Amino acid sequence: MGKQYSNIKPQPAKPGDQRKIDVYFKRLDASHQNPTNQLMHYFFVPLMVLGILGMAWAIPFPHIGFIGKYNGYFNWASFIIAFGIYYYLKMSPLLSYFALFLFFGLSYGIMQLELYEKTGGIELSVISVAILMVSLAGQYIGGKIEGNEKSFNDDTKLAHITPLWVFYKLTQRFGLRY
């Protein structure tokens, strides 16, 4: 059985072949031409990620015995971050590093919101849902400014890529190859 596959050789990439990430970025570029809409994405996409991570962070995480003293350091957002970084690393190493720094910063912000909740403030889950709703409203308004309903629809279909697209747009400004 192993012999029949031994003659199969990997095919080199053809000059016209595109990476999957390039296809995604072209779709997002095509529906995000307006500079105001792009500027709004620089603000509202990180807020969207903050809202999603905050909601996952707020879900109680079970105590796992073998983790020992590190039990307080893991939560459901940890898995989202780990999966996101792994997925982004496969797409673009440089952009995944930017995303990792974004996740660190947002995690710090969430920890501050947790402290605020513990001192009698609003619950993390409520703040996170509010942040997510504001960010989605900002995305929708950006689509309206774009004058293209496809802009908002592409954002919802490609929500997992949109944070990388924001970094891609920023790296383009500095002439970095992603």
Side-chain angles (χ1 to χ4, degrees):
M1 184 163 193
K3 270 191 159 186
Q4 75 188 59
Y5 293 110
S6 63
N7 294 335
I8 298 175
K9 296 179 183 167
Q11 297 296 319
K14 298 175 188 142
D17 288 349
Q18 290 184 333
R19 296 183 305 170
K20 192 179 213 179
I21 195 168
D22 293 323
V23 173
Y24 290 146
F25 287 166
K26 283 184 181 183
R27 274 183 62 188
L28 287 165
D29 281 342
S31 61
H32 296 82
Q33 297 291 314
N34 185 296
T36 304
N37 185 22
Q38 288 182 12
L39 185 63
M40 291 178 77
H41 274 67
Y42 298 150
F43 180 73
F44 287 114
V45 168
L47 271 183
M48 178 182 67
V49 175
L50 176 66
I52 292 168
L53 289 178
M55 288 187 316
W57 202 293
I59 299 170
F61 193 77
H63 181 83
I64 302 172
F66 71 87
I67 294 177
K69 65 181 181 178
Y70 298 106
N71 259 301
Y73 296 102
F74 288 98
N75 57 46
W76 296 113
S78 304
F79 293 100
I80 293 172
I81 292 169
F83 175 75
I85 292 301
Y86 174 74
Y87 182 73
Y88 291 165
L89 186 61
K90 290 179 70 167
M91 292 285 195
S92 167
L94 176 66
L95 298 179
S96 74
Y97 302 143
F98 288 129
L100 183 61
F101 285 116
L102 173 70
F103 286 146
F104 281 150
L106 295 178
S107 294
Y108 177 77
I110 292 169
M111 288 187 289
Q112 296 306 308
L113 291 173
E114 265 188 325
L115 289 175
Y116 173 67
E117 177 185 352
K118 288 177 182 174
T119 60
I122 303 170
E123 290 182 23
L124 175 61
S125 59
V126 173
I127 293 173
S128 299
V129 168
I131 289 171
L132 183 61
M133 292 299 113
V134 167
S135 67
L136 289 175
Q139 299 274 43
Y140 182 76
I141 291 168
K144 288 292 187 185
I145 290 171
E146 184 77 41
N148 183 355
E149 196 65 33
K150 185 179 178 190
S151 174
F152 184 73
N153 291 337
D154 267 356
D155 278 359
T156 56
K157 291 177 187 169
L158 296 173
H160 63 292
I161 295 296
T162 306
L164 279 189
W165 180 76
V166 169
F167 288 128
Y168 157 73
K169 296 304 280 183
L170 292 172
T171 57
Q172 274 188 325
R173 292 183 183 263
F174 296 108
L176 298 172
R177 177 77 177 126
Y178 62 96

